[in-house]
Amino acid sequence: MKDYLPYLVGTLTGVLVALIISALLTLQGTPQLMLFALLPAIGGAIVERFSQRRSDKS
């Protein structure tokens, strides 16, 4: 379970960013769905990748 923590943190960060962008731009419909589909996945992948690189250097 500990291995999933970086991905989970990135995913939650992506959801938070998606919520903020959606609220600021008052997005609805397809753009909002795309935002909520892409940002959590991208955020999780970036944080997980960063975490793996950091652990490889140690």
Side-chain angles (χ1 to χ4, degrees):
M1 185 72 180
K2 184 180 173 185
D3 294 335
Y4 290 108
L5 188 60
Y7 184 78
L8 182 61
V9 168
T11 302
L12 292 175
T13 304
V15 169
L16 182 63
V17 170
L19 282 169
I20 292 170
I21 291 173
S22 179
L24 289 175
L25 301 177
T26 61
L27 296 175
Q28 293 180 354
T30 304
Q32 185 180 31
L33 288 173
M34 290 177 64
L35 192 68
F36 279 97
L38 294 176
L39 283 182
I42 291 171
I46 289 172
V47 172
E48 184 180 29
R49 181 96 159 163
F50 179 74
S51 173
Q52 285 177 352
R53 283 189 178 182
R54 191 170 179 170
S55 67
D56 288 343
K57 288 182 181 180
S58 299

